[in-house]
Amino acid sequence: EFAQVLSPTAIRMRVWERGAGITQACGTGACATLVAAARRGLTGRKADILLDGGTLTIEWTEDDRVLMTGPVALAFSGRLSAELVSVGQGDA
C-alpha cells in the first residue's frame, strides 16, 4: 500500500498487489494502514480510507479490535461440480 495522511480523519491509499499491479481496494491493508498511522500519532483511532474502489471507514477500538465499514460488491459468481470438489480428498 501507498498511503498519504490527508488529515487526522482521512487517509488516501493506493493498493499495489504483486503479480496484479494496482487494484481497487484491500480491506486488510486499509485496516493495517489506519493502525500504523494511529500508532505514529498521525491520525486518531478512526478514519476514512479513500481507495480507488471506494471509501472504507476503519476504527481501531480501545479493546484492540479493528472494525471496517464500507460498500461491498459481488466480484464473481459460479458453481463447482461435485467431481471437482472431491478430487484429492483422500490424497493428503
Side-chain angles (χ1 to χ4, degrees):
E1 281 76 32
F2 298 90
Q4 176 187 14
V5 176
L6 302 174
S7 75
T9 60
I11 300 172
R12 172 67 170 118
M13 187 178 109
R14 301 283 312 267
V15 180
W16 176 273
E17 294 192 46
R18 183 179 45 211
I22 294 174
T23 60
Q24 294 291 305
C26 176
T28 304
C31 291
T33 296
L34 180 274
V35 171
R39 286 179 56 113
R40 294 191 63 205
L42 301 173
T43 66
R45 295 177 72 99
K46 182 176 182 180
D48 289 333
I49 311 297
L50 290 72
L51 299 146
D52 290 349
T55 299
L56 295 173
T57 299
I58 308 297
E59 181 179 2
W60 180 26
T61 65
E62 292 298 327
D63 62 351
D64 285 333
R65 295 174 188 264
V66 181
L67 308 175
M68 175 174 52
T69 305
V72 297
L74 180 63
F76 178 80
S77 178
R79 291 179 179 243
L80 295 175
S81 68
E83 296 82 26
L84 182 62
V85 174
S86 65
V87 170
Q89 285 198 358
D91 299 335

